[in-house]
């Protein structure tokens, strides 16, 4: 009288709701990625690593990879130096003030990256706002060239990715028990000792999250470097775009993409492992 | 008063290969407060969910006041439930939570207002109506959950471990409060717990559950003094158990050989059967006078523990054996020491025997 | 020392906000200039650049396309992602964590890699319809945002509340509507907002999939910037900024901005 107990009965019927989304992502996301990886090792006559040999054996491409990493590192470091203390001030603010400050940090995230990069160009032009300000303040005698310099690139990159550093640190710091540094103070710890032994370790999960997000976004950045520097500063993303759109050299582009993907994935997984470590260290 | 107000008959419930309720039957009188007692995983919550209509038994029938509700969905049953962690709606205020059931029944806001106020007063939460439920303490949340379930005047109230989230002190206050409240409202209620003391204190009758079945359903005094099985005996209260063999049996009385000696118990088992004999600690006396109504045995004191209002004495059998006897005294006689051999006794009628 | 630290962090926050807002705010005065260049300070006042927006080839159609793709892909992701999140939270699915990671993983992947992979796959399949390619690629882009926020709010949701509503007289669908939906709405709204923005603003994936007639707004803007840079772009940017502020304001009214801090 009852339905026979089959194997499928063990799976909750709700589990099947995952299928449409999963199938879609497998077909539209996973399959193309695998195809791309495959095409990076597919030569005219079967398996070849020549795409990778060209990327990793050519001084030019090695230099591009180095430049990309350098840009990502400087961007991450700059964002951390500015964003870490800012996150503390943001978490400390109370009431309506915090809402306003939060909105001001949050707003740039939602503004188009093209608009921001375009605005950044206006800021840095010879007849732009920065030169105008410095001239009027008497800091400089005649306008200096800033746009299309590495300085402009770094500043623009930090500008675009800074909120991704501030927000994760902010959400960790906000949850931090403010009594802990106080408790340390009653134990006779100096402010510096308190910061390095209590506050800093407790905020580390936010730092790891922020650093990994900013680094993996910066290493793959395309719009900001190409708008602010153009061909003068080639990054991996720009080489890839060129290989596909101009040179039609798919093997090269796919190999470069695989290297970039590996870099980004390693950072993300490394950060996840570090997070887990920090989490368990806190729990014990 | 209807004796068979809620009737569950022959209910089976399986989850995949596991049978959680097996041929379970239960009958509760109108206005009665029954607690459902059993170890974790024995199916208490499953039974409640079947009665509430949140689950449907694979087999069996459920009737309330003679009406068959087996096929009705949860929202058609008018059965109130207080959930384990209360399941209050965080997006609504206290008053809105209580009004939820009334509004779901299509009662207008204006009409619901006085009834919500009444329910708030019933649980003494009048001043908290406009607060968000997240601002309440555990005890207050529980009161809101009870008020929310009662305000729709359900035909039956089910409570799933309503005290488990409260600390011990608050739990004791809330137990008394809930008991009085439900008396006042006069509602039929089933109350799940795995705390035997709570079950004895709070309810008119206790149903002890074991692996998807009701092992015994009776009033607390009978449950304690005449458990239907070893399982119930073990689950409710402390006892001393001695294993033995039936020597003879006549007129509903058996004689049993144990490590402490021969004793009598009111039961009729075949001579030669293995039995367990059990006595509650407080039924025993030390060094009794000779009396035909008593079982009198001897043992050696192995430990004396002082528990404040009473003292426990642990006795070893004179012969080799694993059995020990624990007896409880409200006052310790002078000059008792470990190692001493003493006699002790208990009434034959207080002796319980079970087939082992 | 304490005061010094406080002062230092406050200064850093001030600097951060000023720095972040600078390139955004600067386009507003430039959009009202009379001169056809971006010089600062802007000369005179005119609305001519706003008037010109209509005349720029393809700008309005690009705006329409971007809005359409963003809205559609967000809607599809909301549907597929919410179903999947329910299955992961309630379905006792083995390997649920791995599935969740997979569904969120496009977020960690460089956008260009995704775009290249898509382009290649479309070519292999002989699929040349730019609109359709854009749509399915943008579903992949928006899916992680929906999955993350909906999963987070579903796993915080106590499903006993749905049972409670049912015993109080709500049918199952009504209980879902009255109890589940209001409680996970903040997750829905912030997830949808981020998804929409991510799609609307996407450049690196779209750039491989557009064709001459089917261009999204970021592509068209960047094109225009390269070909004929004039303050029209500042006018468009100003309108986009105002639009974002308006949407953020709406979201704040609906669910509160700070609940969105988990990016
Ligand atoms: N929806 C379900 N699917 C599969 N198995 C279930 C389901 N609900 C309950 N079970 C299983 O049924 C058994 C009884 O569960 P139930 O919740 O009724 O126990 P309980 O007596 O209330 O226990 P506790 O005191 O821990 O609350 C358990 O083994 C449980 O794992
Ligand atoms: Mg239970």
């Amino acid at each position: 009288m009852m339905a026979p107990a089959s194997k499928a009965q063990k799976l909750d019927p709700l589990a099947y709701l995952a299928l449409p989304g999963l199938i879609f992502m497998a077909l539209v996301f996973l399959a193309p990625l695998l195809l791309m990886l495959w095409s990076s090792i597919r030569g005219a006559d079967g398996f070849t690593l020549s795409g990778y040999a060209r990327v990793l054996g050519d001084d030019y491409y090695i230099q591009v990879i180095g430049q990309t990493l350098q840009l990502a590192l400087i961007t991450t470091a700059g964002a951390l130096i500015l964003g870490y203390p800012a996150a503390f001030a943001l978490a400390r603010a109370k009431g309506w003030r915090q809402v306003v400050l939060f909105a001001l940090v949050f707003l740039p995230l939602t503004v188009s990256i093209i608009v921001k990069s375009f605005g950044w160009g206006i800021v840095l032009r010879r007849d732009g706002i920065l030169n105008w300000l410095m001239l009027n303040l008497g800091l400089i005698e005649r306008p200096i060239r800033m746009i299309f310099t590495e300085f402009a690139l770094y500043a623009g990159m930090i500008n675009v990715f800074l909120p991704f550093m501030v927000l994760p640190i902010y959400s960790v710091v906000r949850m931090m028990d403010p009594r802990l540094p106080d408790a340390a103070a009653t134990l006779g710890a100096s402010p510096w000792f308190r910061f390095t032994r209590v506050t800093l370790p407790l905020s580390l999960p936010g730092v790891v999250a922020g650093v990994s997000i900013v680094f993996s976004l910066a290493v793959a950045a395309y719009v900001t470097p190409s708008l602010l520097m153009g061909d003068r500063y080639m990054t991996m993303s720009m080489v890839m775009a060129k290989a596909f759109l101009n040179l039609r050299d798919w093997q090269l582009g796919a190999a470069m993409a695989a290297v970039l993907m590996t870099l980004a994935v390693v950072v993300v997984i490394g950060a996840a492992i570090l997070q887990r470590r920090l989490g368990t260290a806190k729990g014990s | 008063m209807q004796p068979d107000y809620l009737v569950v008959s022959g209910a089976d419930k399986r989850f995949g290969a596991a049978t959680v309720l097996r041929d379970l039957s239960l009958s509760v009188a109108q206005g009665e407060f029954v607690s459902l007692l059993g170890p974790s995983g024995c199916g208490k919550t499953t039974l409640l969910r079947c009665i509430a209509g949140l689950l449907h038994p694979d087999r069996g029938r459920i009737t309330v006041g003679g009406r068959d509700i087996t096929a009705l969905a949860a929202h058609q049953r008018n059965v109130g439930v207080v959930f384990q962690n209360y399941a209050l709606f965080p997006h609504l205020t206290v008053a809105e939570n209580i009004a939820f059931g009334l509004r779901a029944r299509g009662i207008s806001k204006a009409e619901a207002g006085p009834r919500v106020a009444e329910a708030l007063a019933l649980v003494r939460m009048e001043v908290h109506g406009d607060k968000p439920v997240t601002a309440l303490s555990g005890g207050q949340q529980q009161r809101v959950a009870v008020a929310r379930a009662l305000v729709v005047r359900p035909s039956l109230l089910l409570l799933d471990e309503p005290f488990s989230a409260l600390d011990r002190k608050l739990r004791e206050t809330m137990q008394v409060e809930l008991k009085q409240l439900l008396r006042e409202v006069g509602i039929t209620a089933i109350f799940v717990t795995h705390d035997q003391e709570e079950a004895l204190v709070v309810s008119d009758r206790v149903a002890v559950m074991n692996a998807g079945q009701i092992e015994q359903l009776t009033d607390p005094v009978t449950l304690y003094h005449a458990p239907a099985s070893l399982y119930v005996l073990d689950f409710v209260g402390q006892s001393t158990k001695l294993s033995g063999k039936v020597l003879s049996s006549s007129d509903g009385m058996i004689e049993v050989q144990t490590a402490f000696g021969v004793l009598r118990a009111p039961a009729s088992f075949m001579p030669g059967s293995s039995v367990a004999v059990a006595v509650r600690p407080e039924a025993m006396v030390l060094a009794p006078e000779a009396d035909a109504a008593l079982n009198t045995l001897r043992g050696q004191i192995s430990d004396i523990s002082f528990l404040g209002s009473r003292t426990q004495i642990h006795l070893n059998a004179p012969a080799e054996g694993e059995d020990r006897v624990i007896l409880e005294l409200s006052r310790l006689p002078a000059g008792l020491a470990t190692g001493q051999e003493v006699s002790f006794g208990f009434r034959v009628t207080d002796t319980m025997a079970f087939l082992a | 020392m304490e005061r010094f630290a406080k002062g230092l962090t406050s200064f850093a926050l001030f600097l951060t906000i000023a720095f972040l807002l600078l390139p955004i705010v600067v386009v507003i005065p430039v959009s009202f200039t009379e001169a056809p260049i971006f010089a600062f300070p802007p000369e005179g006042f005119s609305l001519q650049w706003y008037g010109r927006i209509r005349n720029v080839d393809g700008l309005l159609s690009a705006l329409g396309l971007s809005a359409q793709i963003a809205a559609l892909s967000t809607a599809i992701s909301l549907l597929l992602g919410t179903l999947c999140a329910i299955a992961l939270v309630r379905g006792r699915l083995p390997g649920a964590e791995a599935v969740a990671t997979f569904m969120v993983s496009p977020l960690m992947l460089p956008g260009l890699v995704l775009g290249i992979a898509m382009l290649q796959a479309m070519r292999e399949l002989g699929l040349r319809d730019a609109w359709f390619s854009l749509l399915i690629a943008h579903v992949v882009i928006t899916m992680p945002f929906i999955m993350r926020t909906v999963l987070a709010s579903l796993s915080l949701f106590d499903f006993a509340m749905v049972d409670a509503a049912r015993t109080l007289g709500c049918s199952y669908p009504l209980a879902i509507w009255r109890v589940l939906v209001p409680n996970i709405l903040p997750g829905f709204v912030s997830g949808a907002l981020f998804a929409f923005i991510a799609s609307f603003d996407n450049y690196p994936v779209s750039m491989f999939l557009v064709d001459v007639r089917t261009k999204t707004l970021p592509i068209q803007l960047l094109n225009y910037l390269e070909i004929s840079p004039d303050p029209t772009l500042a006018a468009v940017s100003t309108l986009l900024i105002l639009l974002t502020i308006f949407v953020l304001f709406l979201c704040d009214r609906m669910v509160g901005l700070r609940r969105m801090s988990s990016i």
Side-chain angles (χ1 to χ4, degrees):
Chain A
M1 127 181 185
M2 273 195 53
S6 65
K7 266 186 203 158
Q9 215 180 355
K10 276 188 195 153
L11 210 60
D12 196 295
L14 280 178
Y16 294 105
L17 293 181
L19 276 185
L22 258 182
I23 292 175
F24 180 89
M25 291 296 275
L27 287 180
V28 177
F29 168 61
L30 188 61
L33 266 190
L34 296 178
L35 187 70
M36 185 198 82
L37 288 180
W38 190 55
S39 79
S40 75
I41 53 169
R42 176 181 51 173
D45 30 42
F47 173 81
T48 168
L49 283 177
S50 68
Y52 291 93
R54 278 162 65 202
V55 168
L56 298 174
D58 186 321
D59 281 347
Y60 174 68
Y61 293 126
I62 289 291
Q63 191 204 335
V64 166
I65 294 176
Q67 274 184 355
T68 309
L69 287 177
Q70 181 189 336
L71 177 61
L73 279 175
I74 290 177
T75 304
T76 309
L80 183 61
I81 291 168
L82 192 52
Y84 186 79
F88 275 82
L90 186 59
R92 203 176 50 226
K94 300 259 155 26
W96 65 269
R97 244 188 262 198
Q98 195 191 29
V99 177
V100 170
L101 291 174
F102 182 85
L104 290 179
V105 175
F106 189 81
L107 173 74
L109 261 187
T110 55
V111 171
S112 165
I113 190 169
I114 309 253
V115 171
K116 274 187 285 187
S117 301
F118 166 63
W120 199 242
I122 298 180
V123 169
L124 296 177
R125 288 165 64 91
R126 190 173 288 272
D127 50 4
I129 186 169
L130 211 55
N131 269 320
W132 177 75
L133 264 179
M134 290 197 291
L135 273 175
N136 283 348
L137 290 175
L139 294 177
I140 48 174
E141 306 220 320
R142 74 188 92 81
I144 49 174
R145 199 182 75 104
M146 288 180 286
I147 199 153
F148 298 132
T149 63
E150 288 194 11
F151 163 76
L153 175 62
Y154 297 143
M157 289 283 286
I158 294 172
N159 187 278
V160 169
F161 297 118
L162 185 52
F164 293 98
M165 184 67 84
V166 178
L167 291 179
I169 300 179
Y170 157 77
S171 37
V172 169
V173 172
R174 198 176 48 143
M175 292 298 158
M176 214 156 82
D177 189 343
R179 288 170 312 181
L180 289 175
D182 291 350
T186 64
L187 295 171
S190 70
W192 178 248
F193 189 90
R194 251 153 39 211
F195 175 74
T196 53
R197 301 297 173 87
V198 181
T199 310
L200 182 64
L202 284 176
S203 64
L204 228 44
V207 173
V208 172
V211 164
S212 82
I213 297 171
V214 170
F215 186 87
S216 52
L217 287 174
V219 86
Y222 175 79
V223 174
T224 312
S226 39
L227 262 182
L228 293 180
M229 283 297 263
D231 287 347
R232 274 156 284 224
Y233 195 106
M234 287 302 275
T235 64
M236 293 165 74
S237 289
M238 288 155 80
V239 168
M240 276 159 57
K242 233 193 179 113
F244 272 89
L245 297 178
N246 304 350
L247 309 176
R248 314 250 157 211
D249 187 344
W250 289 29
Q251 195 193 41
L252 173 71
M256 195 55 127
V259 174
L260 179 60
M261 190 167 93
T262 312
L263 272 175
V265 168
V266 163
V267 169
V268 169
I269 291 177
I273 292 173
L274 209 58
Q275 289 284 25
R276 198 160 290 187
R277 283 253 180 93
L278 289 173
T280 54
K282 219 170 36 176
S284 66
Chain B
M1 219 37 108
Q2 216 173 322
D4 290 334
Y5 182 65
L6 165 72
V7 179
V8 178
S9 46
D12 277 355
K13 181 70 197 173
R14 306 157 56 94
F15 291 115
T19 305
V20 177
L21 300 181
R22 60 185 85 215
D23 196 21
L24 183 143
S25 296
L26 173 74
S27 165
V28 177
Q30 190 163 24
E32 205 179 13
F33 195 2
V34 169
S35 57
L36 213 51
L37 179 65
S40 190
C42 70
K44 305 181 295 287
T45 299
T46 305
L47 175 57
L48 274 204
R49 291 174 69 82
C50 285
I51 298 173
L54 296 168
L55 281 176
H56 289 277
D58 303 323
R59 206 174 65 79
R61 267 168 28 104
I62 301 171
T63 62
V64 174
R67 192 164 80 107
D68 191 334
I69 59 166
T70 319
L72 293 187
H75 65 283
Q76 299 162 325
R77 290 196 180 187
N78 199 28
V79 170
V81 182
V82 174
F83 289 83
Q84 188 157 9
N85 292 311
Y86 314 136
L88 297 178
F89 307 127
H91 61 297
L92 303 178
T93 64
V94 169
E96 285 167 342
N97 261 277
I98 296 176
F100 190 93
L102 297 171
R103 307 282 290 135
R105 283 165 171 72
I107 294 171
S108 75
K109 232 185 189 137
E111 256 179 282
R115 285 179 67 179
V116 170
E118 198 183 317
L120 277 169
L122 188 67
V123 293
R124 296 186 286 107
M125 293 281 292
E126 300 94 322
V127 296
H128 301 295
D130 292 329
K131 285 191 184 168
V133 290
T134 43
L136 301 182
S137 70
Q140 291 173 329
Q141 289 190 5
Q142 199 214 28
R143 293 205 194 112
V144 174
V146 172
R148 182 178 72 176
L150 284 180
V151 73
V152 296
R153 304 197 181 119
S155 53
L156 193 66
L157 184 65
L158 309 175
L159 305 103
D160 194 352
E161 307 199 21
F163 303 118
S164 63
L166 305 179
D167 64 57
R168 204 190 142 98
K169 191 93 189 174
L170 186 57
R171 182 188 288 220
E172 282 165 9
T173 337
M174 295 302 288
Q175 282 169 3
V176 178
E177 191 179 307
L178 183 71
K179 188 174 171 177
Q180 283 169 353
L181 177 67
L182 296 186
R183 280 277 138 67
E184 207 177 305
V185 179
I187 194 169
T188 314
I190 299 184
F191 160 84
V192 165
T193 177
H194 51 232
D195 179 344
Q196 43 115 354
E197 217 167 291
E198 190 168 283
L200 298 180
V201 168
V202 166
S203 41
D204 300 323
R205 285 198 296 159
V206 180
V208 178
M209 269 188 85
N210 178 20
Q213 284 182 315
I214 304 249
E215 191 98 359
Q216 188 173 14
L217 171 54
T218 185
D219 63 280
V221 176
T222 313
L223 191 73
Y224 187 77
H225 290 295
S229 63
L230 264 178
Y231 177 84
V232 177
L233 173 84
D234 278 339
F235 207 82
V236 181
Q238 269 200 326
S239 61
T240 282
K241 270 185 296 176
L242 303 172
S243 53
K245 272 218 155 47
V246 178
L247 297 174
S248 68
S249 170
S250 64
D251 295 339
M253 193 63 73
I254 52 172
E255 286 200 321
V256 182
Q257 176 70 56
T258 70
F260 287 86
V262 177
L263 51 76
R264 287 177 300 148
S268 26
F269 297 132
M270 292 291 287
S273 6
S274 299
V275 289
V277 182
V279 192
R280 298 294 184 187
E282 71 281 357
M284 297 204 246
V285 289
L286 203 59
E289 288 165 25
D291 185 341
L294 291 185
N295 283 313
T296 309
L297 305 168
R298 294 188 75 75
Q300 192 182 26
I301 299 179
S302 65
D303 190 28
I304 301 177
S305 3
F306 177 62
L307 303 176
S309 62
R310 58 215 155 82
T311 302
Q312 276 190 354
I313 298 177
H314 296 237
L315 298 167
N316 279 344
E320 286 295 296
E322 305 215 329
D323 283 340
R324 294 171 125 221
V325 168
I326 300 172
L327 56 96
E328 270 182 22
L329 305 172
S330 52
R331 175 162 299 154
L332 188 65
L336 225 48
T338 51
Q340 212 173 322
E341 200 176 289
V342 291
S343 71
F344 63 97
F346 41 89
R347 306 182 76 78
V348 172
T349 48
D350 284 342
T351 314
M352 302 172 275
F354 306 94
L355 275 182
Chain C
M1 181 72 196
E2 206 86 319
R3 300 233 326 256
F4 172 73
K6 278 197 177 159
L8 191 74
T9 53
S10 297
F11 180 66
L13 182 59
F14 167 76
L15 216 61
T16 297
I17 291 177
F19 177 56
L20 286 176
L21 293 183
L22 184 60
I24 299 171
V25 172
V26 79
V27 301
I28 298 172
V30 169
S31 73
F32 295 110
T33 181
E34 277 176 359
I37 48 163
F38 305 129
F40 203 92
E43 290 162 25
F45 179 89
S46 85
L47 291 174
Q48 57 168 320
W49 305 113
Y50 287 88
R52 285 220 190 168
I53 293 177
R54 259 178 303 132
N55 306 336
V56 175
D57 252 4
L59 204 56
L60 287 183
S61 68
L63 176 70
L65 178 70
S66 275
Q68 192 183 32
I69 295 280
L72 272 179
S73 62
T74 302
I76 295 174
S77 285
L78 269 175
L79 180 67
L80 298 182
T82 306
L83 290 181
C84 188
I86 290 176
L88 293 184
V89 174
R90 296 294 287 168
R92 301 161 199 266
L93 196 68
E97 199 157 324
V99 174
T101 309
F102 170 64
M103 297 294 282
V104 178
S105 59
L107 201 59
M108 305 161 201
L109 213 65
L112 247 74
V113 175
L114 201 61
I116 288 171
M118 295 267 183
L119 173 68
Q120 245 184 326
M122 307 284 178
R123 293 258 172 99
E124 298 275 341
L125 288 176
L127 192 79
R128 297 205 176 274
D129 185 42
W131 188 87
F132 184 72
S133 314
L134 276 172
L135 180 65
I136 60 174
H138 279 235
V139 174
V140 175
I141 293 167
T142 50
M143 184 71 80
F145 294 94
I146 304 291
M147 277 307 281
R148 258 171 39 162
T149 48
V150 176
L151 254 186
S153 32
L154 270 185
S155 51
L156 288 180
F157 180 78
D158 178 7
F159 278 83
M161 288 198 280
V162 173
D163 291 342
R166 289 170 65 201
T167 63
L168 288 168
C170 289
S171 62
Y172 193 79
L174 195 61
I176 296 282
W177 176 249
R178 290 259 181 89
V179 177
L180 180 76
V181 171
N183 274 291
I184 66 169
L185 195 64
F188 259 86
V189 172
S190 60
L193 174 74
F194 277 111
F196 188 92
I197 290 174
S199 161
F200 194 75
D201 192 24
N202 183 277
Y203 187 92
V205 177
S206 303
M207 79 182 205
F208 292 100
L209 303 175
V210 293
D211 63 23
V212 190
R213 276 168 299 118
T214 321
K215 282 195 179 138
T216 61
L217 188 62
I219 308 273
Q220 194 66 271
L221 280 181
L222 207 62
N223 259 358
Y224 190 74
L225 186 60
E226 276 162 6
I227 299 166
S228 54
D230 67 40
T232 314
L233 263 178
V236 176
S237 299
T238 305
L239 292 181
L240 282 180
I241 292 167
L242 290 181
L243 188 70
T244 345
I245 292 176
F246 177 68
V247 170
L248 277 185
F249 180 76
L250 274 189
C251 289
D252 185 43
R253 289 285 96 163
M254 273 170 85
V255 299
L257 259 195
R258 263 179 303 168
R259 292 171 86 162
M260 302 180 173
S261 71
S262 54
I263 32 170

